Amino acid sequence: MIISVPKEIKNNENRVAITPAGVKELVKRGHEVYVQSTAGHGSGFIDDDYTAAGAKITPDIEAAYKMGEMIVKVKEPVFREYNLITSGHVMFTYFHFASSLELTQAMINQKAVCIAYETVEHEDRSLPLLVPMSEVAGRMAVQEGAKYLEKPMMGKGILLGGVPGVLPAKVLIIGGGVVGTEAAKMAAGLGADVIIMDSNLKRLRYLADIMPANVKTMASNEYNIRKMIRDQDLIIGAVLIPGAKAPKLITKDMLKDMQRGTVLVDVAIDQGGCIETCRPTTHEDPTYIVDGIVHYCVANMPGAVPYTSTLALTNATLPYIIELAGSGWKTAVAQHMELSKGLNLCKGQVSCSGVADAFNLPHHVKPQLQ
Ligand SMILES: NC(=O)C1=CN([C@@H]2O[C@H](COP(=O)(O)OP(=O)(O)OC[C@H]3O[C@@H](n4cnc5c(N)ncnc54)[C@H](O)[C@@H]3O)[C@@H](O)[C@H]2O)C=CC1
Ligand SMILES: CC(=O)C(=O)O
Ligand SMILES: [Mg+2]
């Protein structure tokens, strides 16, 4: 198969979808790999690293899309890419369709086969291609939260861990999955006073067992959220219903109950966000203030630490790229339950229920696989 890797053009997105090591594995199996010139620069790979591994370099994004049967990316296509995508393409990348009708409609119109990293799902319901980036974003959420709690950044002016004789900051994490767990570990390690809320009691039992003593667990419901947000310093949104739009758990009217300078980091923003006043921001301009509350809502947080994120992501995606390239997408999707869960759009039909529900579109349980 011919696999093509365009350079990411989303704001401050420095990850790349394939490393030279990945190219070598694909070329060894008889595939042809095209990589757009400078696509790897942000992650520390130069064009010569790719050619040495057997890739061919394309001069621009148009050529990258033109050459490939399967396009492997990191982030969802942006407007400039829509018309480069055709019904002949298999697109393998993060899409987060439920958060964007525009993107969903564009990909329906282009009739491409869209397999979304974030909904590839194992039988035990884990999400192997979301996990590594959630690990990164969960850890970063605390790092970024700590930074924006500083007074010059419009935060309350409180140090997460406190100092001897002064109490530490309070951190509330809503959603105790991968992002929430990693955030809790980081915040606890810095000495903060941490609460994790989740709607899944089994998950809370597990977290209560493994977390240090400065992490407490609490059931997630409106009453508890309203009660706890009053005196928190940092609140991290980390819920997920796979494929679907995130539920709004903190509404605009709740902001007046928070203390000024409280920082909200809505990691779930890529699925629309779980805080009503959150809208996607970029690494260039990551925060804004509503009612004195700092909102941080960057939808591609791992893009800022590409040296870590590209390796973590491609460690997970490469086996699936090899499978899709080796068997062809139809056979791979038919034979592998995890990849069939990843199929979101197929030649203009919506095959992911979360996406269909988000926009009231017809849901094709069995899309045309021809
Ligand atoms: N902004 C960014 O750059 C990034 C965003 N993400 C996003 O972060 C979000 C979380 O991802 P993961 O932790 O991997 O998901 P996960 O599936 O591991 O965890 C989600 C948790 O939310 C819980 N949950 C669902 N509804 C809830 C509710 N009403 N109240 C409390 N908890 C609830 C679930 O029980 C589960 O434990 C996703 O939207 C993901 O796409 C992930 C990586 C990067
Ligand atoms: C998961 C995701 O959206 C990201 O890594 O950017
Ligand atoms: Mg994202």
Side-chain angles (χ1 to χ4, degrees), residues 1-4 31-32 34 64-72 86-92 113 325 329:
M1 185 183 273
I2 306 175
I3 299 141
S4 206
H31 304 298
E32 241 180 293
Y34 288 85
Y65 274 95
K66 198 159 177 220
M67 294 312 298
E69 296 168 90
M70 176 158 69
I71 307 294
V72 183
T86 69
S87 59
H89 281 135
V90 177
M91 300 290 302
F92 193 38
V113 172
W329 73 271

Side-chain angles (χ1 to χ4, degrees), residues 94 124-142 173-186 196-198 203 206-207 210-211 236-240 267:
Y94 287 119
D124 67 1
R125 316 231 40 199
S126 61
L127 305 166
L129 304 188
L130 185 61
V131 166
M133 294 304 93
S134 291
E135 289 169 339
V136 171
R139 290 172 178 227
M140 275 184 79
V142 172
I173 299 168
I174 309 179
V178 179
V179 168
T181 302
E182 295 304 315
K185 285 198 285 196
M186 290 296 126
I196 309 183
M197 285 186 182
D198 204 292
R203 183 70 189 172
Y206 165 75
L207 291 170
I210 60 150
M211 285 288 163
I236 296 174
V239 305
L240 175 66
V267 184

Side-chain angles (χ1 to χ4, degrees), residues 13 15 74-76 94 96 118 129-130 133-134 270 299-303:
E13 183 48 77
R15 288 171 286 180
V74 178
K75 291 308 294 181
E76 71 280 356
Y94 287 119
H96 303 291
E118 71 275 9
L129 304 188
L130 185 61
M133 294 304 93
S134 291
D270 55 358
N300 60 332
M301 293 172 70

Side-chain angles (χ1 to χ4, degrees), residues 217-344:
T217 60
M218 205 171 179
S220 171
N221 54 51
E222 187 184 336
Y223 183 90
N224 282 348
I225 291 174
R226 280 190 185 273
K227 182 170 160 196
M228 299 314 295
I229 56 173
R230 293 174 174 272
D231 65 348
Q232 297 300 312
D233 301 302
L234 170 61
I235 299 175
I236 296 174
V239 305
L240 175 66
I241 299 162
K245 223 174 162 67
K248 301 289 178 212
L249 302 178
I250 294 184
T251 50
K252 180 163 173 41
D253 72 295
M254 294 185 190
L255 297 193
K256 68 175 180 336
D257 297 331
M258 298 176 189
Q259 295 167 2
R260 289 177 79 81
T262 298
V263 175
L264 307 179
V265 176
D266 196 351
V267 184
I269 192 67
D270 55 358
Q271 292 292 142
C274 61
I275 299 170
E276 192 181 5
T277 46
C278 282
R279 55 168 169 79
T281 58
T282 61
H283 286 292
E284 208 168 81
D285 190 10
T287 60
Y288 59 92
I289 312 285
V290 179
D291 296 345
I293 308 299
V294 182
H295 290 58
Y296 174 100
C297 328
V298 176
N300 60 332
M301 293 172 70
V305 289
Y307 275 68
T308 305
S309 302
T310 288
L311 294 180
L313 177 63
T314 55
N315 283 343
T317 51
L318 184 62
Y320 292 95
I321 297 169
I322 290 173
E323 185 56 41
L324 285 163
S327 310
W329 73 271
K330 274 179 260 175
T331 307
V333 161
Q335 289 183 347
H336 298 276
M337 206 273 290
E338 349 43 307
L339 278 172
S340 74
K341 294 268 188 179
L343 187 66
N344 278 217

Side-chain angles (χ1 to χ4, degrees), residues 36-101:
Q36 186 185 337
S37 181
T38 74
H41 278 193
S43 300
F45 303 115
I46 59 169
D47 290 353
D48 285 350
D49 295 333
Y50 285 103
T51 45
K56 300 186 182 81
I57 302 295
T58 69
D60 52 34
I61 196 162
E62 285 77 15
Y65 274 95
K66 198 159 177 220
M67 294 312 298
E69 296 168 90
M70 176 158 69
I71 307 294
V72 183
K73 271 175 60 61
V74 178
K75 291 308 294 181
E76 71 280 356
V78 301
F79 183 74
R80 205 186 125 200
E81 293 171 287
Y82 292 173
N83 282 330
L84 302 176
I85 297 167
T86 69
S87 59
H89 281 135
V90 177
M91 300 290 302
F92 193 38
T93 189
Y94 287 119
F95 279 105
H96 303 291
F97 279 122
S99 68
S100 172
L101 177 58

